[in-house]
Amino acid sequence: VPYDVVLEMDEINDDFADTDVTLVVGANDTINSAAVDDPNSIIAGMPVLHVWESGQVIVLKRTMGSGYAEVDNPVFFNENTGMLLGDAKTTCDALNMKVSELL
């Protein structure tokens, strides 16, 4: 992705509440709501993307394992979150093909 189209967290976080669907590819700690909601978490205060504020969140990951910080991610268990486990490239390619068929 070209850097000129990438936004900083503080530039994008306010937009998530107005976002219908957020597709997360391979992130864990950077979308962990415990950084915001749990003052006792070891990642408390860490800057994160507030994807959980979106209408729907779809997370693509290889497994349900924790990230680098070894902290469980509550976002994965939210009612508005769906998990697509497996190889992210394969899954993105399949999603792209299905969406293209619908258009």
Side-chain angles (χ1 to χ4, degrees):
V1 176
Y3 281 105
D4 62 335
V5 298
V6 175
L7 299 175
E8 295 293 331
M9 286 185 198
D10 60 345
E11 295 175 307
I12 195 68
N13 272 338
D14 290 340
D15 293 346
F16 285 117
D18 296 322
T19 303
D20 293 327
V21 178
T22 297
L23 182 65
V24 178
V25 181
N28 194 349
D29 296 333
T30 57
I31 63 159
N32 193 325
S33 61
V36 175
D37 298 335
D38 183 358
N40 297 314
S41 173
I42 63 169
I43 63 169
M46 183 180 97
V48 293
L49 293 164
H50 298 188
V51 299
W52 61 89
E53 295 175 358
S54 300
Q56 287 291 135
V57 180
I58 301 169
V59 179
L60 284 66
K61 283 182 48 114
R62 287 191 186 276
T63 69
M64 287 292 289
S66 58
Y68 182 78
E70 294 291 324
V71 177
D72 287 335
N73 191 332
V75 173
F76 298 166
F77 306 98
N78 287 350
E79 287 186 25
N80 70 329
T81 300
M83 302 294 294
L84 289 175
L85 302 180
D87 178 76
K89 169 127 177 53
T90 302
T91 305
C92 280
D93 288 346
L95 284 171
N96 186 38
M97 186 175 69
K98 288 293 185 184
V99 169
S100 295
E101 289 174 4
L102 296 171
L103 298 178

